């Protein structure tokens, strides 16, 4: 699932949201929180990816209709290597973008994040104690070599990768459950 970036902040809620091909991408709405203002909620459009392919997503804000061509590609790992603490995850992230670790095993431990990216990839990474924290504008940003402490069950390490040449985006997650 991915948020469809629109002008939907602060009350400009997109309407008539639809996908031309729901076998590739379906559409839905979720409640989001305004950055740095946790009490301010708004309805935001999301895309649920179902298969590889291309479709068009349309929506309307006020009297203007917007169209976005959406291309869903096969997952490609952005990493040549990735390690959390002593755990090597390079092979895990070759075929899938999500991984779950035992919260009990890592509770209150400080872990070092180390990664190397393939050529052309950029990465934004942060650790979230609370899934709402990203929506409330309070993530703990990390770089390769930084450490983070696992303090809460259901926390997550989120890694957003972007390939400058192909424009492909990947979201990789490590959950502590």
């Amino acid at each position: 699932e991915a948020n469809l970036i629109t002008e939907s902040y602060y009350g400009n809620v997109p309407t008539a949201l639809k996908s031309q091909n729901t076998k590739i991408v379906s559409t839905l709405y979720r409640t989001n929180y305004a950055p740095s203002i946790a009490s301010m909620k708004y309805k935001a459009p999301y895309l649920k990816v179902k298969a590889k392919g291309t479709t068009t997503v349309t929506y309307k804000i006020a009297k203007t209709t917007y169209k976005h061509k959406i291309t869903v590609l096969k997952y490609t790992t952005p990493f040549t290597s990735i390690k959390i603490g002593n755990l090597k995850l390079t092979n895990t992230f070759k075929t899938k973008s999500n991984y779950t670790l035992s919260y009990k095993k890592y509770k209150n431990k400080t872990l070092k994040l180390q990664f190397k990216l393939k050529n052309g990839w950029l990465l934004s990474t942060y650790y979230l104690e609370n899934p709402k924290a990203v929506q409330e504008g309070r993530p703990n940003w990390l770089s390769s070599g930084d450490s983070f402490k696992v303090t809460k069950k259901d926390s997550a390490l989120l890694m957003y990768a972007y390939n400058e040449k192909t424009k492909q985006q990947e979201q990789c997650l490590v959950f502590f459950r």
Side-chain angles (χ1 to χ4, degrees):
E1 234 174 69
N3 181 258
L4 178 62
I5 306 300
T6 68
E7 300 297 323
S8 64
Y9 287 97
Y10 314 118
N12 287 332
V13 179
T15 59
L17 175 66
K18 60 185 170 184
S19 173
Q20 189 178 44
N21 187 341
T22 56
K23 290 180 181 179
I24 295 171
V25 170
S26 63
T27 60
L28 64 148
Y29 291 95
R30 295 241 187 259
T31 300
N32 271 6
Y33 298 85
S36 303
I37 310 170
S39 62
M40 185 177 231
K41 297 179 185 179
Y42 64 97
K43 197 165 79 168
Y46 276 76
L47 304 177
K48 186 170 186 175
V49 175
K50 296 182 175 182
K52 292 186 305 180
T54 301
T55 188
T56 300
V57 172
T58 59
Y59 59 91
K60 195 173 183 178
I61 296 178
K63 295 179 181 179
T64 306
T65 300
Y66 297 89
K67 285 184 176 186
H68 293 281
K69 181 180 173 184
I70 307 291
T71 302
V72 178
L73 304 171
K74 181 181 176 186
Y75 170 73
T76 301
T77 183
F79 304 106
T80 57
S81 68
I82 181 168
K83 189 175 172 184
I84 297 175
N86 292 325
L87 183 62
K88 294 179 182 177
L89 294 172
T90 306
N91 286 335
T92 300
F93 280 105
K94 280 184 181 175
T95 57
K96 61 182 184 174
S97 62
N98 297 338
Y99 191 67
T100 302
L101 295 173
S102 166
Y103 171 72
K104 286 182 181 180
K105 182 176 179 178
Y106 294 100
K107 181 181 179 180
N108 293 321
K109 292 192 176 175
T110 299
L111 302 174
K112 186 175 184 178
L113 171 66
Q114 298 174 74
F115 59 83
K116 290 183 183 171
L117 298 171
K118 291 181 177 178
N119 287 339
W121 286 89
L122 302 172
L123 190 71
S124 296
T125 304
Y126 49 89
Y127 171 71
L128 295 175
E129 290 181 349
N130 171 355
K132 281 188 178 179
V134 67
Q135 296 171 338
E136 295 173 0
R138 285 184 253 165
N140 179 14
W141 293 98
L142 300 169
S143 296
S144 186
D146 287 349
S147 297
F148 63 98
K149 189 173 184 177
V150 179
T151 55
K152 291 188 179 178
K153 189 171 183 170
D154 295 326
S155 57
L157 183 66
L158 285 78
M159 298 169 278
Y160 293 101
Y162 175 72
N163 187 302
E164 293 178 296
K165 184 177 180 181
T166 66
K167 309 294 186 224
Q168 185 167 351
Q169 299 174 40
E170 297 294 351
Q171 177 178 301
C172 302
L173 299 125
V174 177
F175 296 102
F176 294 93
R177 295 195 167 138

